[in-house]
């Protein structure tokens, strides 16, 4: 069980504050680090990977400080967003160089195994200059995995990948999460986080904005109305009953979806009143679907808060 703890950490560059008093715990499984461009995601990942020290606070791995701790670095694999690659090397040479830096006893075998893991054996002996953006991403991934780290940090790993490459990487990350590794990846693409991460951390303007499953986060936003699409055997009767209840702040008929669009200000009361009122008025509920519990809606709420 490997856990990264960020405790009241800040990082500034001159007068620019990139990370401001962030406290986060990242444990085994897949965590998505979500935030708009410029939110501070890359800075936070570089602090977790040991490439940047916190200006204040602490960043630790299983209680050990990460910055300038060679023993801890052996447990961390980092896939940065920037390439920083040597185009004159082959893919195999690039990955083997990292194996040698980690002092692995058989760097050639380790490099070949890592390239096979990301399905890049076919291009291992080609120069990196000939690689597409997606192939470069996969070779960076192989380099990060060559020493079999228990922690994997990925900064926008799906950039430049075609759909097939994205699915392959998603499957690989899922397997690693199931193996008990601590996997964190950053993204500003909501679909990627929603498909892959069981837990999310949201960073907005350098501050920690939210943590947890996005549905749980949405339900804690008590100052925002909850929106539902409700289909029933008699939408007009149900609408008349609901609009008289204080839990409901707005209703309109959606002809395209053939149902009611409902805004509920009091989530706990609405969830009990809806079935009760339907039963009392002889209305059969056909479906009740939240229409704003997507990650996109949660993200937009957090950014605009």
């Amino acid at each position: 069980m490997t856990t990264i703890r960020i405790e009241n950490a800040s990082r500034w560059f001159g007068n620019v504050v990139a990370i401001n008093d962030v406290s986060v715990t990242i444990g085994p499984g897949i965590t998505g680090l979500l935030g708009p461009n410029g939110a501070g995601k890359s800075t936070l990942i570089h602090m977790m990977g040991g490439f940047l020290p916190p200006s204040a606070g602490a960043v630790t791995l299983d209680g050990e400080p990460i910055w300038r701790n060679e023993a801890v670095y052996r447990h961390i694999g980092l896939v940065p967003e920037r390439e920083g690659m040597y185009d004159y090397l082959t893919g195999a040479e690039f990955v083997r160089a990292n194996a040698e830096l980690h002092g692995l006893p058989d760097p050639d075998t380790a490099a070949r195994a890592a390239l096979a893991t990301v399905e890049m054996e076919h291009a291992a002996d080609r120069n990196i200059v000939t690689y597409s953006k997606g192939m470069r991403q996969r070779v960076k991934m192989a380099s990060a995995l060559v020493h079999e780290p228990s922690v994997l940090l990925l900064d926008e790993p799906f950039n430049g990948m075609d759909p097939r490459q994205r699915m392959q990487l998603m499957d690989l990350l899922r397997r690693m999460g199931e193996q008990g590794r601590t996997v964190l990846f950053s993204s500003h693409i909501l679909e990627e986080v929603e498909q892959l991460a069981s837990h999310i951390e949201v960073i907005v303007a350098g501050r920690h904005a939210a943590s947890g499953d996005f549905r749980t986060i949405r339900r804690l936003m008590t100052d925002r109305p909850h929106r539902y699409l409700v289909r029933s055997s008699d939408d007009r009767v149900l609408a008349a009953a609901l609009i008289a209840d204080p839990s409901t702040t707005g209703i309109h008929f959606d002809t395209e979806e053939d149902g009611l669009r409902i805004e509920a200000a009091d989530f706990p009361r609405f969830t009990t009143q809806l079935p009760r009122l339907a039963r009392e008025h002889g209305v059969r509920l056909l479906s009740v679907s939240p229409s704003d519990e997507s990650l996109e809606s949660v993200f937009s709420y957090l950014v605009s808060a």
Side-chain angles (χ1 to χ4, degrees), residues 119-191:
E119 301 185 21
M120 278 291 288
E121 315 102 295
H122 66 285
D125 296 321
R126 283 172 46 189
N127 286 358
I128 291 173
V129 71
T130 68
Y131 286 179
S132 67
K133 173 69 173 178
M135 294 171 73
R136 288 169 176 257
Q137 289 288 83
R138 285 192 284 165
V139 165
K140 287 195 296 182
M141 183 78 175
S143 181
L145 292 174
V146 73
H147 57 299
E148 299 185 0
S150 56
V151 176
L152 186 62
L153 307 172
L154 306 99
D155 194 0
E156 300 285 356
F158 299 102
N159 282 356
M161 288 191 171
D162 61 36
R164 178 176 172 274
Q165 292 170 339
R166 290 176 71 251
M167 291 304 299
Q168 288 174 338
L169 180 54
M170 283 187 175
D171 288 341
L172 175 59
L173 295 182
R174 286 190 187 101
R175 291 199 302 271
M176 291 182 175
E178 290 166 359
Q179 292 168 2
R181 298 198 201 192
T182 298
V183 179
L184 178 138
F185 74 100
S186 75
S187 179
H188 63 281
I189 299 176
L190 302 167
E191 178 189 2

Side-chain angles (χ1 to χ4, degrees), residues 16-254:
V16 177
V17 179
I19 295 295
N20 191 352
D21 195 29
V22 170
S23 293
V24 170
T25 298
I26 310 295
I30 302 177
T31 298
L33 181 62
L34 182 63
N37 287 328
K41 302 188 300 296
S42 295
T43 300
L44 197 61
I45 286 177
H46 287 165
M47 289 164 63
M48 287 188 273
F51 280 80
L52 282 174
S55 302
V59 183
T60 60
L61 178 65
D62 292 339
E64 294 291 325
I66 294 176
W67 173 244
R68 290 185 174 174
N69 190 336
E70 184 177 335
V72 168
Y73 291 166
R74 298 182 187 279
H75 300 285
I76 298 174
L78 174 65
V79 181
E81 181 180 13
R82 293 181 179 178
E83 291 186 349
M85 304 174 78
Y86 298 96
D87 286 350
Y88 57 86
L89 296 178
T90 66
E93 290 170 339
F94 180 77
V95 178
R96 186 177 65 238
N98 204 36
E100 291 173 349
L101 287 172
H102 281 284
L104 300 184
D106 189 348
D108 283 312
T109 300
R112 293 288 174 180
L115 287 162
T117 299
V118 299
E119 301 185 21
M120 278 291 288
E121 315 102 295
H122 66 285
D125 296 321
R126 283 172 46 189
N127 286 358
I128 291 173
V129 71
T130 68
Y131 286 179
S132 67
K133 173 69 173 178
M135 294 171 73
R136 288 169 176 257
Q137 289 288 83
R138 285 192 284 165
V139 165
K140 287 195 296 182
M141 183 78 175
S143 181
L145 292 174
V146 73
H147 57 299
E148 299 185 0
S150 56
V151 176
L152 186 62
L153 307 172
L154 306 99
D155 194 0
E156 300 285 356
F158 299 102
N159 282 356
M161 288 191 171
D162 61 36
R164 178 176 172 274
Q165 292 170 339
R166 290 176 71 251
M167 291 304 299
Q168 288 174 338
L169 180 54
M170 283 187 175
D171 288 341
L172 175 59
L173 295 182
R174 286 190 187 101
R175 291 199 302 271
M176 291 182 175
E178 290 166 359
Q179 292 168 2
R181 298 198 201 192
T182 298
V183 179
L184 178 138
F185 74 100
S186 75
S187 179
H188 63 281
I189 299 176
L190 302 167
E191 178 189 2
E192 294 172 353
V193 180
E194 194 162 4
Q195 286 184 20
L196 192 56
S198 57
H199 183 90
I200 63 170
E201 301 289 347
V202 183
I203 300 293
V204 177
R207 288 185 174 273
H208 185 224
S211 176
D213 175 82
F214 71 88
R215 292 183 180 88
T216 302
I217 294 170
R218 176 63 187 96
R219 288 167 186 161
L220 291 174
M221 294 177 183
T222 55
D223 60 327
R224 306 275 185 174
H226 292 254
R227 297 181 175 88
Y228 293 88
L229 173 64
V230 177
R231 297 186 177 93
S232 72
S233 60
D234 195 329
D235 289 344
R236 292 189 179 278
V237 171
L238 182 62
L242 284 172
I243 200 63
D245 189 88
S247 69
T248 305
T249 55
I251 298 178
H252 76 269
F253 292 89
D254 189 324

